[in-house]
Amino acid sequence: MPEKNIVLIGAGYAGVHAAKKLAKKYKKDKDVNITLIDRHSYHTMMTELHEVAGGRVEPTAVQYDLRRLFNRTKVNLVTDNVTHVDHDKKIVTTEHGSYPFDYLVLGMGGEPNDFGTPGVSENGFTLWSWEDSVKLRKHIEETVTKASLEQNVEKRKAMLSFVVCGSGFTGIEMVGELLEWKNRLAKDNKIDPSEIKLVVVEAAPTILNMLERRDADKAERYMVKKGIEIMKNAAIVEVKPDSIVLKSGEEIPTSTLIWTAGVRANSDTKDYGMESARAGRLKVNQYMEAEGLKDVYVVGDLAYFEDEEGKPTPQIVEGAEQTALTAAKSIIVEMSGTGEKEAFQGKYHGVMVSIGAKYGVAHLGGMHLSGWFAILMKHMVNLYYFFGIRSGYYMWQYIMHEFFHIKDHRNIFRGWTSRYGNVLWVLPLRVYLGWFWIDEALSKIYGETTWDKVSITNLKPLFNGIGSDSWLTATTSKMPFEWLQTAATSGASQAAGDAAGAAATNVTTPILSHMPGWFQWIMELLMPNLDVALVMQKVVPFVELAIGLAMVVGLFTWLVSIGSAGFLVMFTLSAMLGWDKFWALPASIALLNGAGRTFGLDYWAVPWFQKHLGHWWYGKPKSVYQDK
């Protein structure tokens, strides 16, 4: 097959999804080149911008570097602005280069639509990019600080009034973040939280019109109960530096108008010579091919295709992913020359909206959820997104910043999982647990029940005495393994009952009297005979010794704590662990909080490995990419 060039413009949800699909398909095909062009070196989690603007997470939390997403794939990354697309010559021109294409995928998304309302661009704030969220966050912090020092009552009141225009997902989620943030803003600036006023202004007679009324009404009741003012049938006709003007003539004093009222297609495409539809979106057919053009595909918010008459594909993440998948499959069919293209069929599983970190409403399939369960489902959907783009790294980062690296109890677990605490206080526990494992290991290597005193010859008569065909059943159903060692060393000719009785006088009663059947089956697969069992018996003490030493010096504490917990669970299920040692299991779990970074080698080791292994596996992030 002659060399083929696939160029994708835009690293939004749709662009990333299409590039991942194509990269997987042509992973081993050297004749296929894939290039992804975006003006930024990162992919933005657009659905979480309100968390940055509302002070819940740090700005970097929604920035996903493209190198980390596409390293070890064949996708070439280019950070540049596209200036022209020549459909006749099939060349994409950027400010710093040009890229020939056989197939082109446009996924630049949308941008805020102010519908020509005077003053929005000059005096308002939008929330449609990472830069928007950072700018808005800074403005809110500075405005509250200035207001706290303002002695003019009316001016102070206007500065502390925050107005959100639009009651769609973005607007409601933004005001929800402000609702939770205002207590912190008030505390830091020594003002009363009640001085901060939150207002939602909606031109329509109802809010959250993407939801069923029962869900939208529930969300509205929650917001009103929390003190958010909701103004319906209130279209904004002008935005001034210190107020907004409604169609009714009413003027609302405010220094902050957050505009989330509409979306239109990316204005960069107006010079691409392509047919557009409502809000500037580009017309496509059922295969996501641009109308009137061959080998050009449009995906995501930019694409206009009517699922039903008069109803274009919704501008949501699921819509972006599904249009991207359709386009990628169409290109694959075109390149292979076999099979038939699959027409787009939108399958949307539901909608959800969060009002802060602790409350939300959702309609998923036939389920109507609210409160805690709705927020939990939103997190599950976001985690599934990372699974879809095959990014375990950013899935982990999401878990950390949403559940652990959080302040002011602003997460689904009300802050109970926050990691912001001093791990110094677990240092004694870490050292004590480390010595526990060292002592366990040394007692088996140099103690009276060492592994070298137990042989297959010694053990076989004991198994025969027990009368079982299964060595594992004998060692676990009748007595713990350490009991078996004592019995075998003291004389293999003793009957099984005598051995168990003698050992029982020196060993604490085990937590389980016998091994569960399912675990016994697993152990028999892992250790099918005595030879394997004795090899494992020789290896385990040295693993225990390594765990103990690593804990004492604080090296790879997170990993060895998992190993410690794993061993203890295994010993418990094998009926070998007594109640006197069970404390070590919760202790192992407690040390998963980064305990090795306080007076431990992890203080240096973990950052070093994160840096060097991260660069080796994911690549080194840069502000500009120019792959060839």
Side-chain angles (χ1 to χ4, degrees):
M1 181 177 75
E3 186 176 274
K4 296 289 184 181
N5 295 306
I6 304 173
V7 175
L8 303 97
I9 305 176
Y13 289 104
V16 167
H17 209 71
K20 284 279 187 175
K21 175 69 176 178
L22 292 166
K24 182 180 179 181
K25 173 64 179 179
Y26 298 111
K27 181 178 181 179
K28 298 181 180 179
D29 194 332
K30 296 181 180 179
D31 294 323
V32 177
N33 299 313
I34 302 172
T35 301
L36 177 61
I37 305 173
D38 194 274
R39 66 184 57 182
H40 300 298
S41 62
Y42 53 84
H43 164 65
T44 302
M45 190 81 162
M46 296 281 290
T47 56
E48 309 304 312
L49 287 176
H50 58 279
E51 295 187 18
V52 174
R56 189 188 341 167
V57 301
E58 294 305 311
T60 53
V62 301
Q63 246 188 16
Y64 305 137
D65 187 83
L66 294 178
R67 179 67 73 207
R68 291 190 181 277
L69 288 175
F70 288 101
N71 202 44
R72 298 181 179 273
T73 72
K74 67 184 304 164
V75 177
N76 295 312
L77 302 173
V78 174
T79 308
D80 210 342
N81 287 313
V82 175
T83 57
H84 182 65
V85 176
D86 190 324
H87 296 293
D88 296 326
K89 296 181 180 179
K90 290 194 168 185
I91 293 177
V92 172
T93 303
T94 66
E95 291 179 356
H96 301 94
S98 59
Y99 303 87
F101 67 86
D102 294 286
Y103 299 94
L104 177 65
V105 180
L106 301 178
M108 293 89 81
E111 61 188 28
N113 188 356
D114 61 15
F115 304 103
T117 306
V120 172
S121 58
E122 297 87 356
N123 303 314
F125 293 86
T126 56
L127 192 56
W128 198 255
S129 68
W130 183 83
E131 291 84 356
D132 284 350
S133 66
V134 174
K135 179 182 177 182
L136 179 55
R137 177 181 180 145
K138 183 178 179 182
H139 166 79
I140 293 170
E141 290 174 330
E142 291 178 348
T143 299
V144 175
T145 299
K146 291 177 182 177
S148 69
L149 303 174
E150 179 59 53
Q151 297 187 29
N152 182 294
V153 176
E154 292 303 317
K155 189 174 181 180
R156 178 187 177 101
K157 183 178 179 181
M159 294 176 73
L160 293 176
S161 294
F162 297 91
V163 180
V164 176
C165 175
S167 66
F169 291 148
T170 304
I172 296 303
E173 291 186 329
M174 183 65 230
V175 79
E177 294 301 326
L178 291 175
L179 175 65
E180 292 188 344
W181 195 20
K182 73 175 189 176
N183 289 330
R184 167 54 61 184
L185 290 169
K187 182 178 180 180
D188 288 347
N189 292 282
K190 302 178 183 179
I191 64 175
D192 193 311
S194 63
E195 289 192 75
I196 299 177
K197 182 180 180 181
L198 305 177
V199 183
V200 175
V201 177
E202 171 57 55
T206 54
I207 70 168
L208 286 171
N209 296 309
M210 307 76 61
L211 294 171
E212 288 190 13
R213 287 315 327 151
R214 59 184 286 188
D215 297 318
D217 291 343
K218 188 176 291 185
E220 183 174 355
R221 288 193 297 270
Y222 176 82
M223 288 187 287
V224 171
K225 181 181 177 181
K226 293 293 183 179
I228 297 173
E229 183 179 348
I230 299 176
M231 302 180 66
K232 293 174 279 190
N233 291 310
I236 296 176
V237 295
E238 185 181 0
V239 179
K240 297 180 179 181
D242 55 1
S243 67
I244 60 170
V245 181
L246 303 181
K247 188 176 182 180
S248 64
E250 181 182 356
E251 194 163 339
I252 301 175
T254 180
S255 297
T256 308
L257 183 279
I258 305 170
W259 186 273
T260 67
V263 181
R264 65 186 179 194
N266 192 307
S267 57
D268 291 345
T269 62
K270 67 180 183 295
D271 298 325
Y272 288 5
M274 301 172 70
E275 191 170 350
S276 62
R278 189 189 311 169
R281 296 171 72 180
L282 304 180
K283 289 184 177 181
V284 296
N285 62 18
Q286 67 269 37
Y287 307 116
M288 295 298 116
E289 290 178 300
E291 250 184 43
L293 294 171
K294 183 173 174 55
D295 302 328
V296 178
Y297 296 82
V298 185
V299 295
D301 290 352
L302 194 59
Y304 185 92
F305 175 74
E306 294 187 354
D307 282 324
E308 302 175 21
E309 188 173 350
K311 292 185 177 181
T313 51
Q315 292 170 300
I316 59 176
V317 175
E318 268 198 311
E321 292 176 345
Q322 291 175 23
T323 56
L325 186 61
T326 298
K329 288 181 176 179
S330 297
I331 292 173
I332 291 168
V333 170
E334 284 277 355
M335 290 179 63
S336 66
T338 59
E340 295 184 0
K341 295 181 180 179
E342 294 182 18
F344 175 81
Q345 288 186 334
K347 298 178 181 178
Y348 312 115
H349 295 89
V351 287
M352 60 187 70
V353 61
S354 62
I355 307 171
K358 307 166 190 174
Y359 187 88
V361 292
H363 181 202
L364 301 172
M367 296 188 301
H368 293 269
L369 304 173
S370 63
W372 191 87
F373 289 103
I375 294 294
L376 176 64
M377 190 57 64
K378 183 175 183 181
H379 286 308
M380 293 300 102
V381 169
N382 286 339
L383 290 172
Y384 183 76
Y385 167 73
F386 295 112
F387 178 80
I389 62 173
R390 298 171 182 83
S391 179
Y393 177 83
Y394 282 116
M395 180 185 288
W396 177 250
Q397 294 301 311
Y398 179 87
I399 290 171
M400 294 304 292
H401 77 245
E402 288 291 342
F403 301 122
F404 298 103
H405 294 173
I406 207 76
K407 295 179 181 178
D408 299 324
H409 311 303
R410 293 178 67 183
N411 71 2
I412 187 175
F413 299 112
R414 273 62 175 174
W416 286 106
T417 56
S418 174
R419 245 203 78 195
Y420 282 114
N422 196 333
V423 294
L424 172 65
W425 312 118
V426 296
L427 174 61
L429 180 63
R430 192 191 82 208
V431 174
Y432 187 61
L433 184 61
W435 177 249
F436 164 82
W437 281 114
I438 293 174
D439 183 60
E440 284 288 304
L442 294 178
S443 68
K444 294 173 184 175
I445 297 173
Y446 298 109
E448 295 181 357
T449 58
T450 57
W451 50 261
D452 62 313
K453 296 179 182 178
V454 184
S455 66
I456 297 176
T457 306
N458 288 339
L459 291 174
K460 280 184 176 177
L462 186 59
F463 297 140
N464 294 333
I466 294 172
S468 172
D469 293 331
S470 169
W471 74 271
L472 189 60
T473 302
T475 60
T476 59
S477 296
K478 303 298 180 182
M479 62 191 68
F481 200 42
E482 291 182 1
W483 294 13
L484 178 63
Q485 288 179 314
T486 303
T489 348
S490 62
S493 59
Q494 288 181 292
D498 293 339
T505 60
N506 298 314
V507 180
T508 303
T509 304
I511 297 169
L512 297 180
S513 60
H514 63 280
M515 181 186 295
W518 62 270
F519 190 72
Q520 177 178 320
W521 177 77
I522 294 174
M523 295 300 288
E524 286 181 349
L525 288 178
L526 296 176
M527 294 183 287
N529 53 55
L530 282 171
D531 293 325
V532 176
L534 287 174
V535 170
M536 291 296 294
Q537 188 185 359
K538 294 177 181 180
V539 170
V540 165
F542 291 100
V543 176
E544 292 176 342
L545 182 62
I547 289 175
L549 292 172
M551 281 190 173
V552 169
V553 299
L555 181 63
F556 306 133
T557 312
W558 197 83
L559 291 176
V560 296
S561 294
I562 289 179
S564 172
F567 266 132
L568 291 163
V569 169
M570 183 179 68
F571 293 157
T572 300
L573 293 173
S574 300
M576 291 190 290
L577 191 72
W579 285 108
D580 61 325
K581 298 176 182 177
F582 185 72
W583 65 270
L585 179 56
S588 301
I589 297 172
L591 295 181
L592 289 170
N593 67 342
R597 296 208 187 197
T598 299
F599 293 103
L601 297 181
D602 281 346
Y603 181 84
W604 298 280
V606 171
W608 189 92
F609 276 98
Q610 285 177 334
K611 178 181 178 180
H612 291 84
L613 289 182
H615 289 175
W616 171 72
W617 184 258
Y618 293 109
K620 186 176 182 179
K622 296 182 180 178
S623 59
V624 173
Y625 293 115
Q626 289 292 345
D627 292 346
K628 301 295 183 181

